[in-house]
Structure formats: structure tokens, C-alpha cells
Amino acid sequence: MTEESERPDPHPEETVEHTEATAPTPDHVGIDTVEALVRQQLSRALGGRRGMLEAGVPGIVFTLVWLVVKDLQAALIGSLAVAGVALVLRLVQRSTLQYVFNAIFGIGIGWLFVRIAAGSGGSESDQALAFFLPGILVSLGYTIVLGFSCLIRWPMLGFMLGSVTGDPTAWHDDPQVVTLCSRLTWVMLLPGAVGVLLQGPVWLMGHADVIEVDLAVLLITILRTGLGWVLRIGSWSAMFWLLARDATPLSRAGGQHGLAPQTD
């Protein structure tokens, strides 16, 4: 031990005050906690009400145009036009384009499935129904991947946390962090899982002519947009409630390294 290290702190009261001021508590969680960091990342990923509208409105426009004019091309152009307007607004405001691009990508994949249905000899009604199949398949895959990640105790939310702290896997060393991320991941997958369970049978019945295609398209739109938004809002509310209960020091997510969020 060196002589310098043996010297007493000349300002012990200031050191104590600084420690007490920066220590996280359950009543006031700063960015130095796992919960606060996950809340921040979730807010960015979910996009808020505007992100939800940008993702959902093009599908609503597609359905309304199709049901009114029975013109598949007009329905596709209408949905793409709405996404285009949202894109222009984002560009003018210089805000993130992520959510608009998600909508445009969804329309593009839907159009691809429409072309596949047309190439297979499907009627225009069958092609309209095919537009909604990618969303159901994506939700199914999303549910399977997230559920499997929880079952093997490597929840996907943990990797989101690790990408920010600087070590993608160190969070797994702490059972409390793993449990928190598992709970959040289970809650996150519920809207997609419920959507698949409800929309899948409707799509199959429409495809098999058990019910009219127009009815199937309308029901899927209602389930995806109306009920889907309600489920997502409920899921996000439950996630933020879970994140408000505890205050896990962020250093625990970094294992033995005590990592803090990376900054530019």
C-alpha cells in the first residue's frame, strides 16, 4: 500500500453526498439501472402512437379500397400512397424513417405474395387474401423464436440489453437479469401469438371458401388493427409496469465487467 493511498479523504462528507445522490433507488431509477435502460430501448423500438399508425394505416387503406372498388391494383397503390405520405413527412421533419420503412417493406412483401397467388391461377379475391398471409407468417415466426429463446433461458430482450452495454452476453451471468428479460420477452410475444391464433383460422377459412373472401379480409383487418393495437398497448403497459417495480444496477448486466451504456 502506498503512502498516498493511506492518506484520509480530505472531503469525506462530499464523497458520501455524491454516493447517495448517484445511487439508484426503486423510487427514482436513473439510466444506471437495467430497468431504465430497457425502458429507453423499448420506447425507441416501439415507436409510440405515430409508429403504430404508420405501421397499421396502410393495411386499413388496402382493405377499405378493396372492399369498396374491388380493384386490387388500386388497393395496393392506395396503401403505398399512404406510406409514401408518411415517408415525406418524416423526411421533412428529419425524424427516424424506421417505422415508415417497416410499413413499406410489409406492403412490398404483401405484393410479392399477391403476385405468387396470381401466378398460381388464384382469382383476384384469392390475391387480396394473399396480401395478408406474410403478416400472419411473420407473427408466427416471431412468436416461435421469442418463445424458444425464453425456454432455453436466453431471452431476446437480453441481447437488446447487451447490445447497449457493450457485451452481448454478459447479462446472462446474472439470474435476476435473465429472469427480468424472460418475463419481458414472454409479455412481448403475446400480441403476436394471439394474432396468429385468431387470424390464422380466418385466413384458412377464407382460402378454403368456408367463408367469403371479403369477410375474411375484413375480419383479419379488424383483428390485426383493432384488436392488435389493444393487445400491443396492453403488452407494452405490462412491460413498463414490470420495469417500474425494481432497480437492478446496470453493472449487473455487464457481469464482472461493470459495463455502462456505450456513448458516441
Side-chain angles (χ1 to χ4, degrees):
M1 181 177 297
T2 63
E3 180 180 346
E4 183 178 356
S5 63
E6 293 176 350
R7 294 177 183 174
D9 190 339
H11 305 289
E13 295 179 358
E14 294 180 4
T15 303
V16 172
E17 291 175 358
H18 177 71
T19 302
E20 292 177 349
T22 58
T25 63
D27 294 329
H28 181 71
V29 181
I31 198 60
D32 53 352
T33 64
V34 172
E35 289 79 7
L37 181 59
V38 175
R39 283 200 301 270
Q40 182 187 74
Q41 293 301 106
L42 283 176
S43 296
R44 292 177 180 175
L46 299 176
R49 288 175 292 183
R50 183 173 181 178
M52 291 173 60
L53 288 173
E54 290 172 344
V57 171
I60 297 176
V61 171
F62 176 92
T63 300
L64 292 177
V65 174
W66 164 253
L67 293 177
V68 172
V69 302
K70 291 295 188 297
D71 188 326
L72 185 59
Q73 184 175 357
L76 287 169
I77 292 175
S79 62
L80 191 58
V82 170
V85 170
L87 177 61
V88 171
L89 290 176
R90 287 282 189 177
L91 288 172
V92 171
Q93 297 171 351
R94 296 184 179 180
S95 57
T96 178
L97 304 177
Q98 172 188 345
Y99 313 108
V100 179
F101 280 147
N102 289 344
I104 293 175
F105 178 78
I107 294 171
I109 295 297
W111 176 85
L112 177 61
F113 273 66
V114 168
R115 300 310 304 163
I116 292 174
S120 301
S123 65
E124 194 167 45
S125 295
D126 293 330
Q127 295 173 41
L129 190 60
F131 178 81
F132 294 93
L133 182 57
I136 298 174
L137 295 179
V138 168
S139 295
L140 177 60
Y142 178 84
T143 300
I144 293 173
V145 171
L146 291 187
F148 181 74
S149 74
C150 291
L151 292 176
I152 63 175
R153 297 289 291 173
W154 281 91
M156 292 300 297
L157 257 294
F159 291 102
M160 182 183 73
L161 176 63
S163 67
V164 178
T165 60
D167 191 322
T169 60
W171 58 271
H172 195 262
D173 295 334
D174 192 308
Q176 183 176 340
V177 175
V178 174
T179 298
L180 171 64
C181 292
S182 293
R183 290 173 179 172
L184 293 172
T185 304
W186 280 120
V187 175
M188 177 179 279
L189 68 81
L190 282 177
V194 173
V196 170
L197 290 175
L198 296 178
Q199 296 174 37
V202 172
W203 191 93
L204 291 173
M205 286 189 292
H207 184 67
D209 293 327
V210 175
I211 61 176
E212 293 184 359
V213 171
D214 287 354
L215 177 59
V217 168
L218 178 60
L219 289 176
I220 290 174
T221 302
I222 293 173
L223 292 172
R224 174 175 296 182
T225 305
L227 180 60
W229 283 356
V230 172
L231 290 173
R232 287 188 182 92
I233 292 173
S235 172
W236 298 342
S237 299
M239 292 171 72
F240 280 92
W241 176 79
L242 287 171
L243 289 168
R245 296 175 60 194
D246 302 307
T248 307
L250 186 60
S251 59
R252 298 182 65 173
Q256 302 299 320
H257 305 289
L259 294 173
Q262 292 180 331
T263 57
D264 297 332

